[in-house]
Amino acid sequence: MSPFFQAEKSTSETDMPIPTSISNRLEINIEQMKELFSFKVNKDFSYRSFVIHFNKKQATIFYYSSIVNGDKINETILKPLLEEDGRDLSNIITIENLLVLNDYKQIIKHINSGKAVLFVDGDSSVYSLDVADFQHRVITKAENESVIKGPQDAFTESLNVNLSLIRKQMHDRQLISEGMQVGVRSKSEINLLYVKDLVNEEILNNVKKRIEDISVDSIRNVELLEQYLEERPYSIVPTILYTERPDKATAYLEDGFIVILMDTSSACLIVPVTFWSFFHSPEDNYLRYLYGNFSRMIRLLCFYLTTMISATYVAISNFHSEMIPPDLLLAITASREYVPFPLIFEVLIMEIAFEIIREAGIRIPNPLGPTIGIVGALILGQAAVEANIISPIIVIIAALSGLSSFAISDININFTVRLTKFIFILAAGLFGMLALIGVFLLWFMYLASIKSFGVSFFAPLSPHFKSANDTFFRKAIKKQIFRPGQIKPQDMTKRPKDSN
Amino acid sequence: MRKKNIFLICIFIMVFPSGCNDRQELEQQSYVVAIGVDKAEEEDKYDFTYQIANPEVGSSSSQGGTNEPPSEIVTITGNDVLTATYTANAFVSKKITLDHTKVIIVSEELARDENFLRVLQAAARTPQIRRGVELIVSKEKAREFIQLNKPVTETRPHKYFLSILNRVTRSGLSPNSELHRFFQITEGDADLFLSTYASAIPSEEGEGNEDEYLAGQIPKLGGSPTQFMGAAVFKEGIMIDTLNGHETRLVNILDPTMDIENFITTFKDPIEPKFRVSIGYSQDKDPNISITYNKDKPSLIEVTVDFKAEVIAIPSLVDYSQNPDYQKRLINQIISELEEQTNKLIEKSQKEYGTDPFYWSLFVRKHFLDVKAYEKADWNKVIYPNAKIKVRYNLQNLEFGKMLNDTSLEEVRD
Amino acid sequence: MLNNGSLKTREIVAILSLFLGMKLADSTPSLLAQKSQNGFWLVPILSFFILLPSFLLIMYLLKKYKDKNLIELMEAILGKWFGKALGLLFFTFVFLSLSLDSRNYVEQIKILYFPESPTKVIFFIFIGIAFFGAKKGIEVIGYTSWIAFPLIKFSVTLVFLLIFGKIIIQRIFPIFGSGIDILMLEGLQKASIFSEIFIILIAYTATKETKKFRHGVYLGSIFAFLEIILFYFIYTTVFDYNSIQKVAFPFHDITQYIQFGEFFTNIETIFMVFWLFAAYLRFIIFLYLITMIFGAIFEIKKFEPLLLPFSFLSIMIGLLPLNSISNELFLRETLFMIMSPFLILLPVLLWIVALSKGELRS
């Protein structure tokens, strides 16, 4: 028997059952509360007993000292109760959010989410007072999805702050922030944001149902939630958009998409998605028409370069050398004369080396970062060429494919693209263009067959839907009249009805 | 799911080794730039000469054999181009690849042989040799030509062939002699095919004006010994004659399927006949050819060539630019000289060759409904040799360059 | 895999013009040129107009009998068993043309780009990829075709632009090639080069409204027809009448010949990429439709599992001919000649029976 097993058993034995009803007598309640929250060992579980000034009754307030605002308790609860006169409790306590609870389950939930709970002698109802003050970072610049032109703030690990960032941009009474709970042991709050008169009910219900169907002890943050929500956990393609930018989230809300927020993540999830959601950057719309589309074009090229350039190089030089212009061909041949590996091996070495630099670069402690990066990239490449392990042209190819992968800012699709690259390289090494094109076609068809919450991945390009046709390129802002038709929003046009 | 994966892995393993069949590392191949074909001593065998580019010469790669020659030249006797490459592998260490061949050089001796078409057809059968490859006839043996051909500034042979062929065809001194054209004309069996004529051995220096030479005859000092000038004339796949540079130019002017940009040539000075005037000839439009086909009597072929001329130099210092009368005489001189030379060439083709080098058979075709009738009418035996041909040159404008007038010599010496 | 009817006119246009339009880039032109020489570009025009009345007739019947695909229509008119028997005959023709066509494509790939690999391996890869693609279902095929359509047509346009300078218009004369009588006969015998427009009718119910499908088929076939004529015209003008007979794969010969400026001389691999893309798509469509026909005849609703045996079978049959020349010049030609009267007469037969049954009046 493993000690783990035994330990688990023993805790479940000492775990006391949750009392069903709240007693009239305060002493009993206090005892039960202490028991429930293991008062003796649980350091930050606190309570304070006092006599209420206006009715001279004994009262006790319970809370986790680590997640409440002490000043607030003092100012808005204790002080009024100890000093003020009034008719009843709710008129004396000046706190903005007061709820009456009736059973212990709710009490536990409230205390865990940072509320203070007030027991009064001779009263079987309990008051929950919102004094929560979870610690979180301040709002910082978006670091992973940076833009030059556009708002710079990013979500932070606080639901209220994140909501405020979104509501700041969207003043619409139809913008609903619906709360849901997930998790059995640790109940976490999930917020679904949507615009009530835009969102497609079917998709909304689908999302709600999937959240309800999750039965797990706890889900800590949206990054984990994402994996519980998606349809195909083994797929190479993501089906949920993950972003840290409030402006991006708001833009999607305006189009009728659903945004999922949690208290613990500095990012949100957006459903449903298409390929284009991963391809676009919010900056495309902030930049003027021509500039935005130019940057799209470059990004499209980057998509091609990242996935295909190494594979194309392998296919062409191993199987179709006739198509390289003679001067280039001779140059490549000359540089390969002393290289001891087959070409595909060379390409794989460099691509993997690049991935190593990248992975290490993320994990490296901040102060060391830049130095190691340069050492890794430059010295490694240079030295490898000098030592005749690889030919210089491979460095160019690998650097090009690595560099262009950074233009794809979404982390999910970035991984898709990088993994695909290796599939393509292997295919190209196997049978040149024949296999490469075949595998590319299958990959493409796989993408076309993917559905995210019932929406095809390449919609609205194909299958076609009425929309702003914001796919490879976007229209001028004034011409973007329609919302994306593939999610079937309740209101298709972005113009007021009477003006049409 | 799992079964599927195993199935996929099995296919992968099955296929992987066979994929290696066509996989060829770049440095394990030798790239042939030029192929030379000669008659071998044995009957029905040929000497194939391959000029193989050396990748290490001229590339900026830091290591390696700068002392090596820019190309390796090997000659091997064999039946056809492809089999010979495999035999050559007995002493060439890498697989010989013909994909990058730019030219096929054939010795005049072989070109005049009736087996020539066989060799060339065998070459065209392999997908490695493209239709854009140029055919060159060399006066000497092709092997000698390749060996002697030592370009001075372009070290890489493929670059050299590319640029020189480009220049000679643009200036009209040699025809465009792609294999594609060779086969279209030879299989069409109506017209004459012209191929670039070249030589690397200077022969007796020829006499005449600036373009009336054959390759090898150009008097010159310095530079590469190789000369590309004039054309070899092929009738039904066998070489029958050569045309000098001047005649080739005329053919290029008259053939609507050839692109000729511009060239500079000289004409007799009509005022002071001991001098010659340099004229820049340029032609924007294809010549207009109209054929009136008569079944029983000789057909009528009318050709109109619109061209422009620019006076480049007037050694006689005659004032052509400002004297309209002189101008008229100059224009007449240019046109009559061109027409006279053209008529001479046409007469030669009608009498000697029996058919035309201008690809004019294209224009008689529309008089026939089907191939049978067309072949029965017989362009190269009946229609062309008996046709009445009128060529008219039409000068559209005459320019005088950037100088209005030349300084009179008398004034300077005074 | 399920058909939710999200295909629209544009997807049908893309599917059909890829399915049929590939005929411009395989060895069909050299097959036609064998007898008609430089007049061969007129043969498809004749064939198309010979086939057109029959085609319009069957479209009319499909419209009348609402929401039935080709096989169901045959059964509805001719009775269950006779309909099935004719359907099976049709299936045999189509399946044979799949096998022979695929061999033909594999040989092209082998001869031009993979001379040293065994035909078998290329065949397995080619059909294998077509199989996995076909498994994704008609909707995904439609989406993919539509997205790939502009790219493929762009590459074809590029070929056209680059070869334009080498065209010698006068080569189309003598206008009727080897003679007008031969052309007419060829046009009649080879009418089934457009058999694809009949095969696609099996997917008649793939769109939500059949009207969209009909529009798609009309547009797609006209587009492919014009494209084929244009390219056959180019082949005639680039190759002379004697040479065109000798060229086995004119499209590839042209792509090998053209160059893009002086530096990019051997650019055929670029076009080979798009050609391969189109070829894969064509066989994905082909395989899927064939299985669909089989499924319709034997009333198998979930016919996708049949894709695997059919792919395998097509490889086996495709490998039977000894070489590509006999495959092309003898077997494919014979198949065309047998299939043409069938395709011309079938709609007429259906129409007469339907008319005599009096079902058309309602």
Side-chain angles (χ1 to χ4, degrees), chain B residues 24-268:
Chain B
Q24 198 72 44
E25 296 292 343
L26 291 177
E27 72 278 8
Q28 289 166 1
Q29 301 177 51
S30 298
Y31 304 101
V32 173
V33 175
I35 303 174
V37 192
D38 290 306
K39 264 172 107 171
E41 283 169 16
E42 267 179 89
E43 189 105 337
D44 290 335
K45 293 241 168 175
Y46 306 94
D47 284 341
F48 294 97
T49 307
Y50 301 103
Q51 184 171 23
I52 299 166
N54 181 359
E56 278 167 61
V57 174
S59 73
S60 62
S61 166
S62 54
Q63 313 97 1
T66 34
N67 296 330
E68 296 172 12
S71 62
E72 185 181 359
I73 297 164
V74 296
T75 304
I76 191 113
T77 311
N79 256 329
D80 62 272
V81 179
L82 260 196
T83 22
T85 62
Y86 279 82
T87 324
N89 270 131
F91 48 92
V92 176
S93 54
K94 298 166 180 177
K95 184 172 186 244
I96 295 175
T97 314
L98 303 179
D99 286 310
H100 289 276
T101 310
K102 293 275 170 276
V103 291
I104 293 183
I105 300 153
V106 178
S107 65
E108 194 175 332
E109 182 197 4
L110 175 63
R112 286 185 188 269
D113 193 284
E114 56 181 12
N115 283 329
F116 172 61
L117 201 55
R118 291 179 206 207
V119 194
L120 217 54
Q121 274 209 323
R125 197 169 266 278
T126 77
Q128 289 189 25
I129 291 180
R130 274 132 231 277
R131 294 176 167 269
V133 172
E134 299 262 348
L135 188 69
I136 297 175
V137 175
S138 71
K139 201 168 79 182
E140 55 278 342
K141 284 224 165 216
R143 181 169 50 85
E144 285 174 59
F145 177 84
I146 292 174
Q147 272 167 349
L148 290 172
N149 178 23
K150 291 234 157 44
V152 183
T153 46
E154 281 106 348
T155 9
R156 291 188 158 189
H158 68 93
K159 266 253 146 91
Y160 168 75
F161 282 122
L162 215 67
S163 48
I164 188 133
L165 286 174
N166 204 347
R167 258 334 289 162
V168 258
T169 35
R170 288 230 179 135
S171 59
L173 287 174
S174 278
N176 161 15
S177 53
E178 287 177 349
L179 275 188
H180 177 72
R181 193 179 159 87
F182 174 81
F183 284 114
Q184 302 319 307
I185 292 183
T186 310
E187 284 162 2
D189 195 23
D191 309 81
L192 296 173
F193 170 74
L194 297 189
S195 159
T196 310
Y197 192 71
S199 171
I201 302 173
S203 58
E204 247 177 82
E205 286 183 3
E207 284 188 10
N209 294 319
E210 69 289 326
D211 54 3
E212 290 166 6
Y213 301 111
L214 258 181
Q217 297 174 341
I218 308 168
K220 61 157 193 165
L221 285 173
S224 153
T226 329
Q227 297 176 3
F228 290 77
M229 184 76 155
V233 183
F234 284 83
K235 186 183 182 184
E236 291 164 355
I238 299 165
M239 179 174 164
I240 50 167
D241 197 12
T242 53
L243 294 179
N244 67 24
H246 191 71
E247 289 165 321
T248 313
R249 266 186 183 161
L250 288 176
V251 173
N252 284 344
I253 289 173
L254 294 173
D255 185 340
T257 60
M258 288 282 190
D259 302 318
I260 181 165
E261 281 181 358
N262 48 43
F263 58 85
I264 297 176
T265 183
T266 60
F267 293 93
K268 199 152 67 171

Side-chain angles (χ1 to χ4, degrees), chain C residues 145-165:
Chain C
S145 308
W146 172 246
I147 295 172
F149 182 68
L151 281 176
I152 291 167
K153 294 310 157 199
F154 169 74
S155 79
V156 171
T157 319
L158 198 61
V159 173
F160 172 68
L161 292 178
L162 291 177
I163 198 70
F164 197 75

Side-chain angles (χ1 to χ4, degrees), chain A residues 240-310:
Chain A
I240 293 175
L241 182 63
Y242 173 88
T243 179
E244 57 169 5
R245 300 188 57 86
D247 55 327
K248 195 169 175 184
T250 318
Y252 278 98
L253 280 174
E254 279 177 349
D255 279 343
F257 288 82
I258 301 162
V259 168
I260 302 170
L261 279 171
M262 272 176 88
D263 209 12
T264 43
S265 282
S266 62
C268 69
L269 302 179
I270 298 170
V271 290
V273 290
T274 57
F275 173 75
W276 314 112
S277 344
F278 296 108
F279 174 62
H280 295 164
S281 149
E283 200 170 4
D284 300 344
N285 268 319
Y286 300 150
L287 289 172
R288 293 183 55 240
Y289 170 75
L290 217 52
Y291 312 160
N293 279 336
F294 176 69
S295 112
R296 288 251 177 109
M297 214 163 72
I298 298 294
R299 214 171 308 135
L300 192 67
L301 181 70
C302 288
F303 253 92
Y304 166 76
L305 287 179
T306 328
T307 46
M308 295 290 266
I309 187 163
S310 309

